[in-house]
Amino acid sequence: MNKLITGTALAMIAMAGTASADGHGVSACLITKTDTNPFFVKMREGAEAKAEELGITLNSYAGKVDGDHETQVAAIETCIANGAKGILLTASDTSSIVPAVQQARNAGLVVIALDTPLEPIDSADMTFATDNFLAGELIGKWAASALGDDAATAKIAMLDLAVSQPTVGVLRDQGFLQGFGIDLGDPNKWGDETDARIVGNDVTAGNEEGGRKAMENLLALDPEINVVYTINEPAAAGAYEALKSIGRENDVLIVSVDGGCPGVANIKDGVIGATSQQYPLLMASKGIEAIAAFAKDGTLPAATDGKDFFDTGVALVTDKPVDGVDSIDTAEGTKLCWG
Amino acid sequence: MSSQDDYEGAATQSRATVAEFDDHRRGFVGSFHHALHTTPALVPLIVLLAAIVIFGMLLGSKFFSPFALTLILQQVQIVGIVAAAQSLVILTAGIDLSVGAIAVISSVIMGQFTFRYGLPVEVAVACGLIIGTGIGAVNGWLIAVMKLPPFIVTLGMWQIVLAANFLYSANETIRSQDIAANAPLLQFLGTTFKVGADADGRGGANFTYGVLFMVGVILLLSYVLKHTAWGRHVYAVGDDPEAAELSGVNVKGTLISVYALAGLICAFAGWALIGRIGSVSPTSGQLLNIESITAVVIGGISLFGGRGSILGTLFGALIVGVFTLGLRLLGADAQWTFLLIGALIIAAVAVDQWIRKVAA
């Protein structure tokens, strides 16, 4: 028993030693929505690799489920208490997180939003993200070109993320409609468009189950739907199952956003026509570099020219390229995919 | 033989009927209440029919089409199967918050055992069913033998199983196309067949084996609960465990068997889930515990145990399905569905209390 206590005490002293040794190094935090979604797993890998390269101590936190706002606030508070230099944050609740972010910035930390912009976007020092509007626009343009003259009489189903209309879902939805050539109404929300080609909007929670149910609901409204916009590839896979069950899987065009490996494989198999691929690994590694630069001499990251965020790029992946829209094929997409 | 010893004669003079309660109430409310009391599935059935009639009047053929009506069945099949398991547990005055997690981990095990370890798909499905049953049995053992409250045990098990599910699967989805090519048995319960479709296969009613399974499992449980000793024991344990114990019911054994059977049914729901969404996705089924409790409560099974019929659960699940699709077809915001279902839950409990009070 005494041995155990001595051993524990020694171990604790040793740990305290390493902690104080790291104390004068730079530390950073990564806070994601969950630590199980492959997208965030990839983001974490990118951040860890870059942090190790630059000699930064990285602490990672995540909500228990998507939408777990409290855990993210607690993580920000922990980072402030830990004396971190900066936070990379993918917020679950883009407006409610703002006071916590402000608290961190007041404490002298640089806060960078990854993937999901905060509301308002300048609540964070910078946003490193895919241009989600552009991502939507690319698949919208592609779908319109692929349909040719039939685009004028298309029947479109919009499979969105959630009823709360988070920024990322609104941007992709509105981008798609703009690319397809539909008047947006208020570009800050989906569902207010009056174009008769839109059959309806429904929400999917971004997974297969939600995608299937939403597709079924919209098919009940109009069984002649022939274009389906989906917020991401799992929702697209669910929509495909719904179409398959009524034997319409081959005459409906499905487009999506994300570019994960299963999604790119689904393009190869003809399940999805085209997807816009984003690059989470790049977002995270650029974010760590920005924190390192800030820790060194207080430099704040700059936005991409003409945009209010740092654009980490997007590419259209399809095996059926159309004129006027740049794209890469699935072989290239598989090389770059993050799943 | 003296006249005092004429037992046979005395017996012939006694009333031939067994002791019974007279129903002294007369009039419409009285007999209606009596009917509700003796047939617990009647209330949800009336609500279901009313909902169908109202949405039918508002939407016409859009709602009354074979496509839309069978779509409701397809959309509630997973919840319906899980709610059957939940009904058993709630009849024993328990609650199972881990049902959805058990369903999801069973589906993940079926998928991963096939694709990660290369087991024959039949074996993988059996493993999924066995592990689902096992998790249920652990719940039952903790509740019956360790005397822990069902709410706490299954709250803990929910988190453990869900975390294990994400850790084990690395949250990787197994794609529908891979399953269709290599292990179609996993999608078996999703097999669709049409009744009354035209020559091109359009229109008509769509059914899946999963829907048949849901109806089958509820009819089977309904029979078992009513006509077997085990079924009566389940009711007895839920009504008053001490009285059941004193009358010779193996209370512990009954409880463990109920939770284990619930686990097995949830594992089947996991299998049906693969059929429905095509792929094996560890993120599905997150709300199944709440949705199944909703179906059970709206279906008129008392949360205090020992009362209600499992057929009511099927109607409860269908009511939710009718409301969801009906409001969707009317173009209403999804929040209206939640609002109305919330009101239905409270109304269902109020009706349950009313039936109990007047009966007491």
Side-chain angles (χ1 to χ4, degrees):
Chain A
M1 191 65 197
N2 273 333
K3 263 187 193 163
L4 181 68
I5 293 170
T6 324
T8 314
L10 279 175
M12 287 180 77
I13 292 165
M15 277 162 67
T18 39
S20 65
D22 284 341
H24 49 80
V26 176
S27 80
C29 292
L30 172 69
I31 305 172
T32 51
K33 291 185 195 176
T34 67
D35 56 9
T36 51
N37 181 327
F39 184 85
F40 298 124
V41 170
K42 210 67 192 172
M43 198 176 252
R44 193 164 157 175
E45 278 173 27
E48 274 167 359
K50 190 50 105 178
E52 188 162 339
E53 184 189 323
L54 299 177
I56 292 176
T57 312
L58 180 72
N59 291 311
S60 298
Y61 305 86
K64 289 192 278 289
V65 293
D66 206 326
D68 180 6
H69 173 64
E70 284 74 20
T71 306
Q72 292 199 321
V73 171
I76 291 180
E77 290 163 351
T78 313
C79 293
I80 299 172
N82 256 342
K85 281 290 174 195
I87 297 174
L88 303 177
L89 168 71
T90 309
S92 274
D93 185 326
T94 47
S95 344
S96 307
I97 200 86
V98 168
V101 167
Q102 194 54 50
Q103 205 188 333
R105 293 177 68 185
N106 291 344
L109 282 77
V110 61
V111 180
I112 296 170
L114 295 187
D115 170 62
T116 309
L118 302 188
E119 286 174 278
I121 192 166
D122 59 6
S123 311
D125 289 293
M126 188 45 63
T127 304
F128 284 29
T130 307
D131 186 336
N132 281 301
F133 191 88
L134 178 64
E137 208 174 1
L138 285 172
I139 52 174
K141 278 185 185 161
W142 180 87
S145 290
L147 285 173
D149 292 342
D150 293 339
T153 54
K155 295 200 167 188
I156 307 168
M158 303 294 293
L159 302 195
D160 291 300
L161 186 55
V163 284
S164 60
Q165 303 215 0
T167 47
V168 53
V170 175
L171 288 166
R172 289 179 191 178
D173 172 304
Q174 300 287 293
F176 167 83
L177 293 177
Q178 172 131 323
F180 200 86
I182 286 173
D183 286 334
L184 294 186
D186 180 353
N188 294 315
K189 72 175 196 203
W190 51 254
D192 63 335
E193 299 80 16
T194 52
D195 197 300
R197 286 176 287 179
I198 302 175
V199 170
N201 299 66
D202 208 334
V203 295
T204 61
N207 61 34
E208 289 86 354
E209 215 178 351
R212 170 146 193 185
K213 189 164 186 186
M215 189 71 234
E216 287 171 345
N217 290 346
L218 292 173
L219 281 171
L221 276 176
D222 187 341
E224 302 300 315
I225 287 168
N226 60 358
V227 179
V228 182
Y229 154 87
T230 56
I231 177 72
N232 66 5
E233 287 135 13
Y240 183 80
E241 291 299 317
L243 290 163
K244 203 165 90 179
S245 82
I246 59 164
R248 292 208 52 215
E249 71 270 29
N250 293 323
D251 48 323
V252 176
L253 202 58
I254 304 180
V255 291
S256 194
V257 177
D258 248 5
C261 298
V264 174
N266 276 349
I267 294 182
K268 206 180 237 166
D269 290 345
V271 171
I272 308 175
T275 197
S276 284
Q277 188 169 49
Q278 41 179 2
Y279 301 101
L281 213 134
L282 189 67
M283 289 175 201
S285 59
K286 288 274 179 202
I288 292 288
E289 281 174 9
I291 292 178
F294 175 78
K296 202 169 151 205
D297 52 17
T299 326
L300 287 172
T304 307
D305 279 345
K307 293 182 180 174
D308 51 4
F309 62 96
F310 183 93
D311 188 353
T312 50
V314 61
L316 186 76
V317 183
T318 183
D319 282 335
K320 293 171 191 153
V322 295
D323 284 340
V325 192
D326 288 335
S327 61
I328 58 176
D329 63 11
T330 49
E332 181 78 11
T334 309
K335 260 186 250 160
L336 298 170
C337 74
W338 43 263
Chain B
M1 189 168 31
S2 74
S3 61
Q4 282 128 321
D5 292 335
D6 185 11
Y7 300 121
E8 302 287 327
T12 54
Q13 282 161 27
S14 70
R15 287 172 56 160
T17 46
V18 186
E20 64 181 14
F21 296 104
D22 281 341
D23 190 9
H24 293 298
R25 289 180 303 271
R26 290 286 176 265
F28 179 71
V29 176
S31 43
F32 182 61
H33 178 268
H34 184 70
L36 295 185
H37 187 61
T38 49
T39 324
L42 206 57
V43 180
L45 181 61
I46 293 169
V47 175
L48 176 62
L49 294 176
I52 292 175
V53 169
I54 290 169
F55 281 116
M57 286 193 305
L58 289 172
L59 289 159
S61 63
K62 225 185 231 174
F63 185 79
F64 263 135
S65 68
F67 176 77
L69 290 177
T70 48
L71 181 58
I72 295 169
L73 282 170
Q74 286 186 53
Q75 291 190 336
V76 303
Q77 60 177 317
I78 310 292
V79 177
I81 297 169
V82 172
Q86 189 70 265
S87 302
L88 286 177
V89 171
I90 289 183
L91 280 176
T92 67
I95 196 154
D96 194 341
L97 298 174
S98 63
V99 283
I102 297 178
V104 174
I105 203 167
S106 303
S107 74
V108 163
I109 283 166
M110 291 174 193
Q112 296 287 355
F113 277 26
T114 311
F115 285 89
R116 201 187 288 182
Y117 310 132
L119 291 177
V121 62
E122 295 81 6
V123 177
V125 169
C127 289
L129 296 177
I130 290 168
I131 291 172
T133 314
I135 299 171
V138 172
N139 275 338
W141 182 80
L142 288 168
I143 289 159
V145 180
M146 301 304 285
K147 304 277 180 213
L148 301 176
F151 188 92
I152 308 294
V153 167
T154 58
L155 180 71
M157 192 57 83
W158 170 24
Q159 316 239 25
I160 293 168
V161 173
L162 210 56
N165 161 54
F166 286 133
L167 291 171
Y168 174 65
S169 65
N171 206 346
E172 274 169 14
T173 299
I174 302 172
R175 291 167 59 241
S176 179
Q177 283 64 36
D178 296 337
I179 295 174
N182 301 316
L185 182 70
L186 289 177
Q187 295 175 337
F188 173 73
L189 288 173
T191 314
T192 311
F193 61 96
K194 289 172 198 293
V195 178
D198 62 21
D200 302 332
R202 295 281 170 86
N206 278 325
F207 292 95
T208 64
Y209 291 161
V211 168
L212 295 188
F213 181 82
M214 170 185 74
V215 175
V217 88
I218 285 182
L219 291 180
L220 180 69
L221 284 176
S222 175
Y223 173 81
V224 168
L225 283 169
K226 230 182 177 143
H227 298 289
T228 67
W230 181 82
R232 302 321 298 177
H233 290 175
V234 170
Y235 276 98
V237 168
D239 204 29
D240 189 340
E242 273 122 51
E245 182 94 67
L246 289 172
S247 13
V249 173
N250 178 355
V251 173
K252 283 179 187 166
T254 308
L255 277 176
I256 295 176
S257 65
V258 161
Y259 281 90
L261 180 58
L264 175 65
I265 297 172
C266 291
F268 270 107
W271 191 11
L273 185 66
I274 304 177
R276 171 145 172 88
I277 62 177
S279 43
V280 173
S281 161
T283 49
S284 28
Q286 301 281 321
L287 294 174
L288 275 175
N289 49 2
I290 299 300
E291 288 170 350
S292 67
I293 295 169
T294 303
V296 171
V297 171
I298 294 179
I301 293 186
S302 171
L303 278 177
F304 312 105
R307 239 192 64 83
S309 131
I310 199 162
L311 271 181
T313 296
L314 177 60
F315 300 143
L318 286 172
I319 289 170
V320 175
V322 166
F323 268 63
T324 312
L325 188 70
L327 288 170
R328 196 65 203 74
L329 290 178
L330 285 172
D333 193 305
Q335 301 296 349
W336 285 105
T337 319
F338 297 126
L339 192 147
L340 282 170
I341 287 167
L344 267 185
I345 293 173
I346 295 174
V349 176
V351 169
D352 180 50
Q353 287 296 327
W354 177 67
I355 294 175
R356 281 172 174 251
K357 245 183 214 140
V358 187

